[in-house]
Amino acid sequence: MKYEPITVSELNTYIKGKIEEDEFLEQVLVKGEISNFKHHYTGHMYFTLKDENCLIKCVMFKTYTNTLNFVPKDGAKVMVLGKVSVFERDGVYQIYVRAMQQDGIGDLYAEYEKLKSRLEQEGLFAQEHKKKIPLMPKCIGVLTSNTGAVIRDIINVATRRNPNVYIKLLPVPVQGAGAAQKIVTGIQTMNQYGLADVIILARGGGSLEDLWPFNEEIVARAIYESEIPIISAVGHETDFTIADFVADLRAPTPSAAAELSVPNVEEIKQKIVTQENRYKQALKKELQYIKLRYEKCMNSKCFKAPLQKINEYRMMIDMNVKQIESSIQKNWQQAKTEMLKNVAKLDALSPLKTLTRGYVIVQTKQNELVKSVKQLKTGEEVQLLLEDGKKDAKIL
Amino acid sequence: MEKMSFEQAMKNLEQIALELESGNLNLEESLSKFEEGMKLSKKCNEILENAEKKITILLEKDGKLQEENFVLDSKESQD
């Protein structure tokens, strides 16, 4: 019998082939704890996954690490998805990881969804219950950690918008066991002593587990019961916690929360100036209108020439008087002419006129006109009326 | 005004402007509205000007809350 040894390489290649033929090993989902984690400078991740008794080597190439939503570290409980294959050079089989998630997340999600729908049904998210954020809060209470970027961002944004802002920080732990209870106490304290006009409840980004205190029912209820309006700013823009749903206003980030709670003082001052200008403009317009009306009045006849009408009447009177005068004059003239005519007529008929022609009128002493001789007795004295006087005479 | 919220005051400022602009007021009413508006705007400005910058931290000491000035950790502000 002749020995026909094969090389190590051949053996490893063979084993590799065997393993890769296996459909089950083509895609496995394995849970375990990370240990010996190394993030190589090339971007690949090397680690072992273990449980109480066993371990297996894992590699996650850079191409896949982009999809991670957390930073793996030793001790982290994870689920990995990948295929099992052999690294021939070292003769080791390992998992070539394509995706990795924190383990237990599934449970948390389920719990989150359950609590969310229960509280929603109970009305904790109701729009009618949401309080209005005051436009110009005198004091802004901030519930967050007293270290880190969150409080700094809030202070920076707030002071930029209002240099005279009043911020009260009530430091609370924002992750880990007991954080939820501390947050609840913080909210209650703020309310009990009326420490602020609006509260910002904030935390920076983190894993679902990190944000968990903001998904706890006690926090949700404390927010709901708070009489001071609460703005939530938990995690990144894409993170929605239960606290966000209950809060009176949700800000995508802590900086945004500062923006939403602190008005831009310059803008408000500008607004005030605008209103003042509107008043002035309106009043000016009104005064102009009144002036116009006044001028129109003053231009009316009764003010411009108040005596005109009187003068007109006076003229009428004068005219009438004149007419009356001339009418009287005319009548008088007519009467006079008529009279003269009559006088001339009379004159012509006057007996005196006859006397001038040499006639004599005889009268008795009783001034009776003697028209007949029968009236006369002899010896009777009579009067003779001549043109230039009278003379007594005696009848013979 | 003392009891009025800043928000209400700002709303009133605008309302007065609308009333003045409507032209439905007589001169006397206009003048009194104008005066009211100017007083209000002065008050609003005062509120803005008179606020004092304060950044504090509430710390529990012997079971009592105490308010102290809060200064950002300079090392922290670097990152």
Side-chain angles (χ1 to χ4, degrees):
Chain A
M1 182 178 174
K2 197 178 172 207
Y3 296 104
E4 296 244 2
I6 54 168
T7 60
V8 175
S9 300
E10 279 167 340
L11 177 61
N12 281 2
T13 306
Y14 178 81
I15 294 173
K16 182 179 173 137
K18 274 284 169 205
I19 287 179
E20 288 198 339
E21 269 170 28
D22 191 292
E23 272 179 35
F24 174 74
L25 295 176
E26 185 57 33
Q27 175 155 311
V28 287
L29 183 64
V30 187
K31 65 174 178 178
E33 192 184 306
I34 293 178
S35 70
N36 211 14
F37 180 82
K38 284 202 183 71
H39 198 173
H40 198 257
Y41 68 89
T42 52
H44 312 317
M45 292 174 174
Y46 301 96
F47 55 95
T48 52
L49 202 61
K50 61 171 189 183
D51 58 19
E52 298 85 43
N53 306 313
C54 299
L55 55 81
I56 184 171
K57 277 181 174 283
C58 296
V59 56
M60 189 173 197
F61 292 124
K62 190 183 167 190
T63 341
Y64 299 115
T65 56
N66 302 333
T67 62
L68 287 175
N69 61 359
F70 71 105
V71 181
K73 56 187 176 201
D74 285 346
K77 289 195 166 57
V78 296
M79 286 190 295
V80 303
L81 181 76
K83 67 166 187 177
V84 180
S85 186
V86 172
F87 183 39
E88 295 162 66
R89 193 197 75 185
D90 294 355
V92 292
Y93 65 94
Q94 56 188 1
I95 304 174
Y96 290 81
V97 179
R98 287 199 298 277
M100 177 160 54
Q101 259 192 1
Q102 286 172 290
D103 196 17
I105 294 282
D107 299 345
L108 281 181
Y109 265 122
E111 206 180 312
Y112 167 88
E113 286 298 340
K114 224 170 90 189
L115 181 62
K116 189 182 149 200
S117 73
R118 180 156 60 83
L119 295 182
E120 185 165 19
Q121 283 197 344
E122 212 186 295
L124 261 71
F125 308 162
Q127 207 56 43
E128 310 88 73
H129 184 265
K130 300 213 181 292
K131 293 171 281 296
K132 217 163 160 287
I133 309 302
L135 175 70
M136 189 75 203
K138 283 197 191 73
C139 178
I140 295 153
V142 181
L143 256 62
T144 190
S145 162
N146 58 349
T147 58
V150 171
I151 183 64
R152 190 180 70 228
D153 287 352
I154 290 175
I155 290 175
N156 286 346
V157 172
T159 45
R160 193 175 66 229
R161 290 173 68 82
N162 180 3
N164 296 332
V165 73
Y166 183 7
I167 294 176
K168 263 184 211 161
L169 168 65
L170 184 57
V172 289
V174 289
Q175 71 183 72
Q181 186 52 54
K182 287 272 171 50
I183 292 168
V184 169
T185 310
I187 293 173
Q188 287 167 347
T189 306
M190 282 278 183
N191 275 283
Q192 187 182 348
Y193 300 107
L195 296 176
D197 302 315
V198 61
I199 293 173
I200 297 176
L201 179 59
R203 191 207 186 285
S207 67
L208 183 62
E209 275 167 316
D210 290 340
L211 302 185
W212 196 251
F214 298 89
N215 285 324
E216 289 201 25
E217 187 170 351
I218 49 169
V219 172
R221 294 206 180 275
I223 293 174
Y224 184 77
E225 277 154 23
S226 172
E227 279 171 22
I228 303 172
I230 294 182
I231 302 176
S232 72
V234 180
H236 295 302
E237 196 163 352
T238 47
D239 298 323
F240 273 89
T241 61
I242 304 267
D244 288 323
F245 291 112
V246 190
D248 299 296
L249 187 65
R250 177 200 179 242
T253 60
S255 300
E259 260 172 51
L260 289 169
S261 60
V262 180
N264 187 322
V265 165
E266 281 315 309
E267 270 172 29
I268 289 195
K269 281 186 184 167
Q270 196 50 49
K271 241 186 210 167
I272 295 174
V273 169
T274 305
Q275 304 302 350
E276 282 183 5
N277 286 341
R278 281 174 75 184
Y279 299 166
K280 286 176 190 160
Q281 210 55 42
L283 202 66
K284 206 167 137 191
K285 209 170 125 195
E286 173 136 11
L287 286 176
Q288 269 169 353
Y289 175 63
I290 287 174
K291 200 175 155 202
L292 216 72
R293 272 171 61 193
Y294 169 77
E295 277 170 359
K296 205 174 153 202
C297 276
M298 292 323 274
N299 274 335
S300 80
K301 266 189 195 150
C302 66
F303 283 111
K304 212 175 173 192
L307 289 179
Q308 189 178 337
K309 207 75 190 167
I310 293 175
N311 285 339
E312 271 172 22
Y313 281 126
R314 201 172 267 165
M315 249 161 65
M316 295 274 280
I317 292 172
D318 284 354
M319 265 162 66
N320 285 338
V321 167
K322 244 180 221 157
Q323 209 173 0
I324 291 167
E325 271 176 3
S326 83
S327 149
I328 289 173
Q329 188 84 30
K330 204 170 138 200
N331 283 350
W332 183 77
Q333 205 66 42
Q334 256 176 8
K336 192 178 164 191
T337 317
E338 191 73 15
M339 187 199 74
L340 285 178
K341 234 159 84 185
N342 288 337
V343 166
K345 258 189 204 163
L346 213 59
D347 198 41
L349 294 174
S350 163
L352 296 178
K353 208 71 169 182
T354 316
L355 295 186
T356 59
R357 294 205 306 267
Y359 291 91
V360 176
I361 293 169
V362 182
Q363 278 182 327
T364 64
K365 281 281 186 196
Q366 290 75 38
N367 288 341
E368 285 172 359
L369 197 60
V370 177
K371 291 181 183 172
S372 163
V373 287
K374 285 170 195 166
Q375 283 174 267
L376 299 170
K377 294 168 200 154
T378 309
E380 187 178 350
E381 285 190 4
V382 290
Q383 298 177 81
L384 301 179
L385 302 178
L386 285 92
E387 193 236 341
D388 52 350
K390 64 182 180 182
K391 263 300 188 215
D392 291 342
K394 206 170 202 178
I395 301 296
L396 297 173
Chain B
M1 177 65 208
E2 307 302 331
K3 296 264 165 63
M4 199 187 290
S5 72
F6 190 82
E7 194 158 11
Q8 190 59 48
M10 287 299 287
K11 247 188 211 149
N12 289 2
L13 272 182
E14 186 147 18
Q15 182 57 35
I16 289 171
L18 285 175
E19 283 176 41
L20 275 170
E21 282 166 353
S22 74
N24 292 334
L25 304 174
N26 62 37
L27 183 61
E28 227 165 85
E29 287 164 341
S30 288
L31 284 172
S32 96
K33 280 279 168 200
F34 181 80
E35 207 176 327
E36 187 188 334
M38 294 307 270
K39 261 188 204 160
L40 208 56
S41 86
K42 200 176 147 212
K43 202 87 193 170
C44 287
N45 266 318
E46 273 173 14
I47 290 176
L48 293 180
E49 297 293 339
N50 292 347
E52 194 186 339
K53 178 179 174 176
K54 260 197 262 178
I55 312 247
T56 63
I57 183 165
L58 297 167
L59 294 173
E60 202 174 313
K61 275 184 187 164
D62 312 324
K64 270 188 181 172
L65 270 188
Q66 288 198 339
E67 194 174 354
E68 290 175 13
N69 275 333
F70 179 66
V71 184
L72 276 172
D73 190 337
S74 59
K75 198 185 101 211
E76 208 115 35
S77 350
Q78 301 291 319
D79 62 36

